[in-house]
Amino acid sequence: EVQLVESGGGLVQPGGSLRLSCAASEFTFSSFRMSWVRQAPGKGLEWVASIKEDGSERYYVDSVKGRFIISRDNARNSLYLQMNSLRDDDTAVYYCARGSNNWRCWGQGTLVTISS
Amino acid sequence: DIQMTQSPSSLSASVGDRVTITCQASQGISNYLNWYQQKPGKAPKLLIYDASNLETGVPSRFSGSGSGTDFTFTITSLLPEDIATYYCQQYYNFPRTFGGGTKVEIK
C-alpha cells in the first residue's frame, strides 16, 4: 500500500526554523512530483510547494517564497520542507502529497505550531 | 493567481437529499479541477478529477461537471457517512488554489 509519513513538526518560536520530512514507500518515488499542502487550525486547505521528479523545478505559494525550501532525496525516498523565518500564520498541519495536479495519496499530516 | 469561489460555505440536508456545491474560477481553467472530501482530523480524499472523472473506488452518488469557469459537484443521495467538508482545487497553473470549502451536515 502506498504510504507517506510526515515527521518533524513541533512548537517553534516566531523567527525560528524547522525541517519537515516525508518518507514515501510502496511506489516509485522518483517517478512522481511531490507537494506540501497545509491547513491552519479550523481553516481550509492551502497548497505550499511542489517539486518535479528530479528536483529540477520547484514551485511555491507567494507567502513562503524566500523562506521555505522544498527538496527531495530520491535515493532515500524522502521529501523535505525546510522552513525558515517562521511566522504565526505558518501554524498549520502540513501534509505531504503525491503529485502536483491530482493528489491521490496524502500523509497523515504533521502539526507545526509557531508561538512564543 | 486564480481565485476559486466555492458556495455555499455550509449546508444542512436530510439523508437522501440531492446536494449541489458550486465552484467558480476567476479565469478559465478548462477542466483542470478536482474535488476533495475531508473528514475531521483526516487528510483530504480525492473524489473527482479533471472536473468530471470519478476516482477509482468512489461511490457513484458523487459526480462533477463543468468546464471553463463554472463547476458543480453533486451528491445524488446524501448518506450519513458523507458528512465532511468538500473542496474544489484547480491545477491549471501555479499557484495551485483551493476553494474555501463547503461543510456538509445532516439536518
Side-chain angles (χ1 to χ4, degrees):
Chain A
E1 180 186 350
V2 171
Q3 195 167 16
L4 297 170
V5 179
E6 301 95 337
S7 60
L11 175 63
V12 180
Q13 291 188 338
S17 298
L18 207 57
R19 188 195 196 206
L20 305 183
S21 299
C22 172
S25 58
E26 301 303 323
F27 68 97
T28 306
F29 180 74
S30 59
S31 296
F32 289 86
R33 296 189 178 198
M34 296 294 296
S35 300
W36 290 97
V37 177
R38 68 183 178 183
Q39 186 168 37
K43 302 298 184 182
L45 299 167
E46 180 183 39
W47 169 80
V48 174
S50 296
I51 186 168
K52 284 189 73 173
E53 295 86 338
D54 61 359
S56 61
E57 292 183 25
R58 311 174 194 205
Y59 310 88
Y60 300 94
V61 68
D62 280 351
S63 61
V64 310
K65 280 180 184 174
R67 300 189 301 123
F68 290 12
I69 299 172
I70 186 173
S71 63
R72 64 192 297 161
D73 184 338
N74 286 343
R76 295 179 183 271
N77 292 333
S78 292
L79 177 72
Y80 306 101
L81 187 67
Q82 177 66 42
M83 305 187 295
N84 302 320
S85 302
L86 284 161
R87 311 185 307 213
D88 290 351
D89 61 357
D90 294 318
T91 293
V93 173
Y94 284 74
Y95 294 101
C96 161
R98 191 178 75 175
S100 66
N101 297 341
N102 312 312
W103 292 305
R104 289 180 167 86
C105 302
W106 298 69
Q108 84 287 352
T110 187
L111 177 62
V112 172
T113 303
I114 311 304
S115 175
S116 54
Chain B
D1 297 3
I2 298 174
Q3 309 303 316
M4 305 301 294
T5 302
Q6 192 175 333
S7 63
S9 57
S10 66
L11 66 90
S12 183
S14 300
V15 172
D17 280 357
R18 182 183 186 91
V19 169
T20 300
I21 298 168
T22 64
C23 186
Q24 185 171 58
S26 60
Q27 67 180 74
I29 60 171
S30 185
N31 66 332
Y32 298 140
L33 183 105
N34 302 316
W35 291 94
Y36 297 86
Q37 176 193 65
Q38 187 180 32
K39 296 183 177 181
K42 300 294 187 181
K45 176 185 177 182
L46 179 67
L47 299 182
I48 303 288
Y49 65 95
D50 296 349
S52 61
N53 293 306
L54 192 67
E55 177 68 357
T56 302
V58 173
S60 59
R61 65 181 181 276
F62 296 101
S63 66
S65 65
S67 183
T69 60
D70 295 301
F71 302 87
T72 301
F73 172 81
T74 301
I75 307 173
T76 52
S77 181
L78 187 68
L79 296 180
E81 57 261 39
D82 300 334
I83 299 314
T85 300
Y86 294 84
Y87 295 92
C88 60
Q89 172 249 326
Q90 67 80 20
Y91 60 98
Y92 182 79
N93 62 13
F94 287 103
R96 305 303 196 224
T97 47
F98 289 90
T102 297
K103 187 174 184 179
V104 175
E105 299 175 321
I106 294 287
K107 191 183 295 183

